[in-house]
PDB file of all heavy atoms in Angstrom:
ATOM      1  N   VAL A 450      49.268 -25.138  24.166  1.00 92.00           N
ATOM      2  CA  VAL A 450      50.153 -25.128  23.006  1.00 92.00           C
ATOM      3  C   VAL A 450      49.722 -23.995  22.086  1.00 92.00           C
ATOM      4  O   VAL A 450      48.532 -23.805  21.832  1.00 92.00           O
ATOM      5  CB  VAL A 450      50.114 -26.468  22.246  1.00 92.00           C
ATOM      6  CG1 VAL A 450      50.979 -26.413  20.990  1.00 92.00           C
ATOM      7  CG2 VAL A 450      50.576 -27.600  23.148  1.00 92.00           C
ATOM      8  N   GLY A 451      50.696 -23.238  21.602  1.00 91.00           N
ATOM      9  CA  GLY A 451      50.405 -22.138  20.696  1.00 91.00           C
ATOM     10  C   GLY A 451      51.349 -22.145  19.512  1.00 91.00           C
ATOM     11  O   GLY A 451      52.369 -22.845  19.515  1.00 91.00           O
ATOM     12  N   VAL A 452      51.024 -21.380  18.486  1.00 93.00           N
ATOM     13  CA  VAL A 452      51.868 -21.248  17.302  1.00 93.00           C
ATOM     14  C   VAL A 452      52.339 -19.804  17.216  1.00 93.00           C
ATOM     15  O   VAL A 452      51.590 -18.876  17.512  1.00 93.00           O
ATOM     16  CB  VAL A 452      51.109 -21.659  16.023  1.00 93.00           C
ATOM     17  CG1 VAL A 452      49.895 -20.781  15.790  1.00 93.00           C
ATOM     18  CG2 VAL A 452      52.027 -21.640  14.821  1.00 93.00           C
ATOM     19  N   LEU A 453      53.619 -19.620  16.849  1.00 94.00           N
ATOM     20  CA  LEU A 453      54.167 -18.277  16.716  1.00 94.00           C
ATOM     21  C   LEU A 453      53.771 -17.693  15.357  1.00 94.00           C
ATOM     22  O   LEU A 453      54.060 -18.277  14.315  1.00 94.00           O
ATOM     23  CB  LEU A 453      55.691 -18.300  16.825  1.00 94.00           C
ATOM     24  CG  LEU A 453      56.300 -18.883  18.096  1.00 94.00           C
ATOM     25  CD1 LEU A 453      57.797 -18.632  18.111  1.00 94.00           C
ATOM     26  CD2 LEU A 453      55.653 -18.307  19.339  1.00 94.00           C
ATOM     27  N   CYS A 454      53.105 -16.566  15.384  1.00 92.00           N
ATOM     28  CA  CYS A 454      52.731 -15.856  14.162  1.00 92.00           C
ATOM     29  C   CYS A 454      53.720 -14.707  13.994  1.00 92.00           C
ATOM     30  O   CYS A 454      53.575 -13.647  14.613  1.00 92.00           O
ATOM     31  CB  CYS A 454      51.298 -15.338  14.259  1.00 92.00           C
ATOM     32  SG  CYS A 454      50.080 -16.657  14.478  1.00 92.00           S
ATOM     33  N   ILE A 455      54.754 -14.941  13.171  1.00 92.00           N
ATOM     34  CA  ILE A 455      55.861 -13.980  13.076  1.00 92.00           C
ATOM     35  C   ILE A 455      55.842 -13.173  11.781  1.00 92.00           C
ATOM     36  O   ILE A 455      56.559 -12.169  11.690  1.00 92.00           O
ATOM     37  CB  ILE A 455      57.220 -14.686  13.213  1.00 92.00           C
ATOM     38  CG1 ILE A 455      57.426 -15.702  12.099  1.00 92.00           C
ATOM     39  CG2 ILE A 455      57.328 -15.358  14.578  1.00 92.00           C
ATOM     40  CD1 ILE A 455      58.795 -16.367  12.130  1.00 92.00           C
ATOM     41  N   ASN A 456      55.036 -13.589  10.800  1.00 91.00           N
ATOM     42  CA  ASN A 456      54.997 -12.870   9.533  1.00 91.00           C
ATOM     43  C   ASN A 456      53.915 -11.800   9.536  1.00 91.00           C
ATOM     44  O   ASN A 456      53.109 -11.689   8.611  1.00 91.00           O
ATOM     45  CB  ASN A 456      54.792 -13.853   8.372  1.00 91.00           C
ATOM     46  CG  ASN A 456      55.945 -14.823   8.235  1.00 91.00           C
ATOM     47  OD1 ASN A 456      57.117 -14.435   8.367  1.00 91.00           O
ATOM     48  ND2 ASN A 456      55.640 -16.087   7.984  1.00 91.00           N
ATOM     49  N   THR A 457      53.882 -11.033  10.612  1.00 90.00           N
ATOM     50  CA  THR A 457      52.930  -9.937  10.756  1.00 90.00           C
ATOM     51  C   THR A 457      53.676  -8.734  11.321  1.00 90.00           C
ATOM     52  O   THR A 457      54.755  -8.882  11.909  1.00 90.00           O
ATOM     53  CB  THR A 457      51.782 -10.307  11.716  1.00 90.00           C
ATOM     54  OG1 THR A 457      52.328 -10.491  13.042  1.00 90.00           O
ATOM     55  CG2 THR A 457      51.099 -11.600  11.273  1.00 90.00           C
ATOM     56  N   PRO A 458      53.141  -7.529  11.175  1.00 89.00           N
ATOM     57  CA  PRO A 458      53.815  -6.349  11.744  1.00 89.00           C
ATOM     58  C   PRO A 458      53.984  -6.444  13.256  1.00 89.00           C
ATOM     59  O   PRO A 458      54.939  -5.891  13.809  1.00 89.00           O
ATOM     60  CB  PRO A 458      52.881  -5.199  11.355  1.00 89.00           C
ATOM     61  CG  PRO A 458      52.141  -5.699  10.161  1.00 89.00           C
ATOM     62  CD  PRO A 458      51.964  -7.166  10.381  1.00 89.00           C
ATOM     63  N   TYR A 459      53.055  -7.128  13.931  1.00 89.00           N
ATOM     64  CA  TYR A 459      53.112  -7.277  15.383  1.00 89.00           C
ATOM     65  C   TYR A 459      53.032  -8.768  15.727  1.00 89.00           C
ATOM     66  O   TYR A 459      51.934  -9.307  15.930  1.00 89.00           O
ATOM     67  CB  TYR A 459      51.977  -6.503  16.051  1.00 89.00           C
ATOM     68  CG  TYR A 459      51.991  -5.024  15.732  1.00 89.00           C
ATOM     69  CD1 TYR A 459      51.151  -4.515  14.732  1.00 89.00           C
ATOM     70  CD2 TYR A 459      52.849  -4.161  16.398  1.00 89.00           C
ATOM     71  CE1 TYR A 459      51.174  -3.168  14.411  1.00 89.00           C
ATOM     72  CE2 TYR A 459      52.872  -2.796  16.078  1.00 89.00           C
ATOM     73  CZ  TYR A 459      52.027  -2.318  15.084  1.00 89.00           C
ATOM     74  OH  TYR A 459      52.060  -0.987  14.770  1.00 89.00           O
ATOM     75  N   PRO A 460      54.162  -9.455  15.766  1.00 91.00           N
ATOM     76  CA  PRO A 460      54.175 -10.905  16.032  1.00 91.00           C
ATOM     77  C   PRO A 460      53.485 -11.244  17.352  1.00 91.00           C
ATOM     78  O   PRO A 460      53.562 -10.485  18.328  1.00 91.00           O
ATOM     79  CB  PRO A 460      55.664 -11.238  16.083  1.00 91.00           C
ATOM     80  CG  PRO A 460      56.320 -10.161  15.276  1.00 91.00           C
ATOM     81  CD  PRO A 460      55.520  -8.927  15.548  1.00 91.00           C
ATOM     82  N   PHE A 461      52.797 -12.396  17.374  1.00 90.00           N
ATOM     83  CA  PHE A 461      52.063 -12.800  18.574  1.00 90.00           C
ATOM     84  C   PHE A 461      51.992 -14.319  18.637  1.00 90.00           C
ATOM     85  O   PHE A 461      52.365 -15.030  17.693  1.00 90.00           O
ATOM     86  CB  PHE A 461      50.657 -12.187  18.580  1.00 90.00           C
ATOM     87  CG  PHE A 461      49.776 -12.686  17.459  1.00 90.00           C
ATOM     88  CD1 PHE A 461      48.847 -13.704  17.667  1.00 90.00           C
ATOM     89  CD2 PHE A 461      49.873 -12.130  16.182  1.00 90.00           C
ATOM     90  CE1 PHE A 461      48.034 -14.156  16.643  1.00 90.00           C
ATOM     91  CE2 PHE A 461      49.054 -12.585  15.144  1.00 90.00           C
ATOM     92  CZ  PHE A 461      48.143 -13.606  15.375  1.00 90.00           C
ATOM     93  N   VAL A 462      51.498 -14.820  19.778  1.00 91.00           N
ATOM     94  CA  VAL A 462      51.297 -16.249  19.978  1.00 91.00           C
ATOM     95  C   VAL A 462      49.806 -16.550  19.855  1.00 91.00           C
ATOM     96  O   VAL A 462      48.989 -15.990  20.585  1.00 91.00           O
ATOM     97  CB  VAL A 462      51.806 -16.699  21.368  1.00 91.00           C
ATOM     98  CG1 VAL A 462      51.555 -18.198  21.562  1.00 91.00           C
ATOM     99  CG2 VAL A 462      53.282 -16.385  21.530  1.00 91.00           C
ATOM    100  N   GLN A 463      49.470 -17.438  18.945  1.00 89.00           N
ATOM    101  CA  GLN A 463      48.064 -17.836  18.749  1.00 89.00           C
ATOM    102  C   GLN A 463      47.817 -19.170  19.446  1.00 89.00           C
ATOM    103  O   GLN A 463      48.490 -20.154  19.179  1.00 89.00           O
ATOM    104  CB  GLN A 463      47.749 -17.966  17.262  1.00 89.00           C
ATOM    105  CG  GLN A 463      46.324 -18.417  16.964  1.00 89.00           C
ATOM    106  CD  GLN A 463      46.073 -18.574  15.475  1.00 89.00           C
ATOM    107  OE1 GLN A 463      46.860 -18.109  14.658  1.00 89.00           O
ATOM    108  NE2 GLN A 463      44.982 -19.231  15.132  1.00 89.00           N
ATOM    109  N   ASN A 464      46.844 -19.200  20.333  1.00 87.00           N
ATOM    110  CA  ASN A 464      46.531 -20.422  21.069  1.00 87.00           C
ATOM    111  C   ASN A 464      45.974 -21.502  20.142  1.00 87.00           C
ATOM    112  O   ASN A 464      45.118 -21.234  19.307  1.00 87.00           O
ATOM    113  CB  ASN A 464      45.500 -20.137  22.171  1.00 87.00           C
ATOM    114  CG  ASN A 464      46.163 -19.763  23.469  1.00 87.00           C
ATOM    115  OD1 ASN A 464      47.382 -19.805  23.592  1.00 87.00           O
ATOM    116  ND2 ASN A 464      45.366 -19.382  24.439  1.00 87.00           N
ATOM    117  N   LEU A 465      46.450 -22.742  20.348  1.00 88.00           N
ATOM    118  CA  LEU A 465      45.921 -23.875  19.600  1.00 88.00           C
ATOM    119  C   LEU A 465      45.084 -24.794  20.477  1.00 88.00           C
ATOM    120  O   LEU A 465      44.118 -25.390  20.011  1.00 88.00           O
ATOM    121  CB  LEU A 465      47.064 -24.683  18.980  1.00 88.00           C
ATOM    122  CG  LEU A 465      47.860 -24.032  17.855  1.00 88.00           C
ATOM    123  CD1 LEU A 465      48.908 -25.008  17.332  1.00 88.00           C
ATOM    124  CD2 LEU A 465      46.954 -23.610  16.715  1.00 88.00           C
ATOM    125  N   THR A 466      45.480 -24.966  21.729  1.00 86.00           N
ATOM    126  CA  THR A 466      44.809 -25.928  22.605  1.00 86.00           C
ATOM    127  C   THR A 466      44.409 -25.280  23.917  1.00 86.00           C
ATOM    128  O   THR A 466      44.856 -24.181  24.256  1.00 86.00           O
ATOM    129  CB  THR A 466      45.723 -27.128  22.913  1.00 86.00           C
ATOM    130  OG1 THR A 466      46.817 -26.687  23.723  1.00 86.00           O
ATOM    131  CG2 THR A 466      46.263 -27.744  21.638  1.00 86.00           C
ATOM    132  N   GLU A 467      43.570 -25.991  24.646  1.00 82.00           N
ATOM    133  CA  GLU A 467      43.219 -25.576  25.992  1.00 82.00           C
ATOM    134  C   GLU A 467      44.327 -26.007  26.955  1.00 82.00           C
ATOM    135  O   GLU A 467      45.198 -26.805  26.616  1.00 82.00           O
ATOM    136  CB  GLU A 467      41.885 -26.227  26.399  1.00 82.00           C
ATOM    137  CG  GLU A 467      40.735 -25.949  25.454  1.00 82.00           C
ATOM    138  CD  GLU A 467      40.390 -24.471  25.374  1.00 82.00           C
ATOM    139  OE1 GLU A 467      40.591 -23.768  26.392  1.00 82.00           O
ATOM    140  OE2 GLU A 467      39.923 -24.023  24.326  1.00 82.00           O
ATOM    141  N   MET A 468      44.270 -25.480  28.162  1.00 81.00           N
ATOM    142  CA  MET A 468      45.275 -25.882  29.149  1.00 81.00           C
ATOM    143  C   MET A 468      45.034 -27.332  29.567  1.00 81.00           C
ATOM    144  O   MET A 468      43.922 -27.854  29.466  1.00 81.00           O
ATOM    145  CB  MET A 468      45.225 -24.975  30.375  1.00 81.00           C
ATOM    146  CG  MET A 468      44.016 -25.158  31.255  1.00 81.00           C
ATOM    147  SD  MET A 468      44.109 -24.110  32.731  1.00 81.00           S
ATOM    148  CE  MET A 468      42.641 -24.636  33.611  1.00 81.00           C
ATOM    149  N   ILE A 469      46.096 -27.981  30.005  1.00 83.00           N
ATOM    150  CA  ILE A 469      46.019 -29.355  30.502  1.00 83.00           C
ATOM    151  C   ILE A 469      45.947 -29.294  32.021  1.00 83.00           C
ATOM    152  O   ILE A 469      46.843 -28.757  32.671  1.00 83.00           O
ATOM    153  CB  ILE A 469      47.246 -30.170  30.050  1.00 83.00           C
ATOM    154  CG1 ILE A 469      47.311 -30.197  28.525  1.00 83.00           C
ATOM    155  CG2 ILE A 469      47.184 -31.584  30.601  1.00 83.00           C
ATOM    156  CD1 ILE A 469      48.532 -30.892  27.975  1.00 83.00           C
ATOM    157  N   GLU A 470      44.881 -29.813  32.583  1.00 79.00           N
ATOM    158  CA  GLU A 470      44.634 -29.660  34.017  1.00 79.00           C
ATOM    159  C   GLU A 470      45.776 -30.205  34.874  1.00 79.00           C
ATOM    160  O   GLU A 470      46.150 -29.612  35.872  1.00 79.00           O
ATOM    161  CB  GLU A 470      43.316 -30.334  34.400  1.00 79.00           C
ATOM    162  CG  GLU A 470      42.088 -29.639  33.814  1.00 79.00           C
ATOM    163  CD  GLU A 470      40.795 -30.258  34.303  1.00 79.00           C
ATOM    164  OE1 GLU A 470      40.872 -31.181  35.142  1.00 79.00           O
ATOM    165  OE2 GLU A 470      39.716 -29.826  33.862  1.00 79.00           O
TER     166      GLU A 470
END
Side-chain angles (χ1 to χ4, degrees):
V450 177
V452 61
L453 302 188
C454 299
I455 61 176
N456 297 319
T457 65
Y459 302 99
F461 65 98
V462 179
Q463 178 182 346
N464 270 355
L465 291 182
T466 68
E467 304 298 330
M468 71 176 184
I469 300 176
E470 292 185 3

